[in-house]
């Protein structure tokens, strides 16, 4: 198991500008964490902080227009909390904080209208 953010565009092909030759695709994954790293480093902080949505990342969570703002808020809180648990010299600090920043940036860039209309489906897990 690993944790990733999955973008899915049902019934349509969309360009990915970050892929050579602007390939068209129905969706893509943004890696978040491998299983071992998630269980060992992410999960204890998430549990200790008592978030409502983030514990579901391990199982999987469909994101919609109602819960996306709440999940984003918890991710930002996690980003602020992480340095209280691990110092910058910790072996996984840079890896986890960069993955967390990427996850937040990807979710902040989501067009809520695409999500509300069903043109875009998001899954975090």
């Amino acid at each position: 198991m690993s944790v990733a953010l999955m973008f899915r565009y049902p019934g349509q092909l969309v360009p990915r500008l970050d892929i050579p030759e602007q390939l068209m695709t129905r969706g893509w994954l943004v890696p978040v964490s491998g299983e071992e790293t998630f269980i060992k480093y992410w999960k204890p902080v998430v549990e200790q902080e008592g978030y409502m949505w983030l514990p579901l990342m391990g199982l999987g969570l469909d994101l919609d227009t109602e819960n996306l703002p709440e999940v984003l808020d918890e991710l930002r809180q996690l980003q602020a909390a992480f340095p209280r648990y691990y110092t910058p010299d910790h072996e996984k600090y840079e890896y986890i904080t960069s993955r967390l920043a990427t996850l937040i940036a990807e979710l902040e860039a989501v067009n809520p209208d695409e999500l509300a209309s069903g043109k875009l489906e998001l899954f975090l897990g």
Side-chain angles (χ1 to χ4, degrees):
M1 174 195 99
S2 60
V3 178
L5 174 63
M6 182 179 74
F7 288 79
R8 187 168 172 271
Y9 291 86
Q12 60 182 330
L13 294 173
V14 294
R16 282 287 298 198
L17 300 177
D18 59 339
I19 297 176
E21 302 174 16
Q22 295 184 339
L23 296 175
M24 300 292 278
T25 181
R26 292 194 196 296
W28 60 86
L29 294 175
V30 176
V32 175
S33 179
E35 179 179 17
E36 182 180 341
T37 301
F38 181 78
I39 291 170
K40 190 172 181 180
Y41 299 105
W42 291 68
K43 192 174 177 184
V45 177
V46 166
E47 289 174 353
Q48 185 67 30
E49 292 293 314
Y51 301 118
M52 183 174 88
W53 292 102
L54 296 187
L56 300 174
M57 281 186 357
L59 301 171
L61 169 65
D62 289 310
L63 298 174
D64 57 35
T65 54
E66 292 180 21
N67 66 12
L68 179 59
E70 295 171 8
V71 171
L72 259 170
D73 183 52
E74 287 187 10
L75 287 168
R76 290 182 193 113
Q77 290 177 45
L78 177 62
Q79 188 176 40
F82 196 76
R84 293 195 308 266
Y85 294 86
Y86 303 102
T87 59
D89 63 341
H90 187 276
E91 64 178 327
K92 294 290 186 179
Y93 185 88
E94 181 64 33
Y95 170 80
I96 294 171
T97 56
S98 68
R99 290 292 176 100
L100 188 51
T102 299
L103 176 58
I104 291 169
E106 289 280 353
L107 289 174
E108 287 175 338
V110 167
N111 180 338
D113 293 335
E114 287 185 342
L115 199 55
S117 69
K119 290 181 182 178
L120 169 64
E121 295 174 354
L122 289 175
F123 180 80
L124 178 59

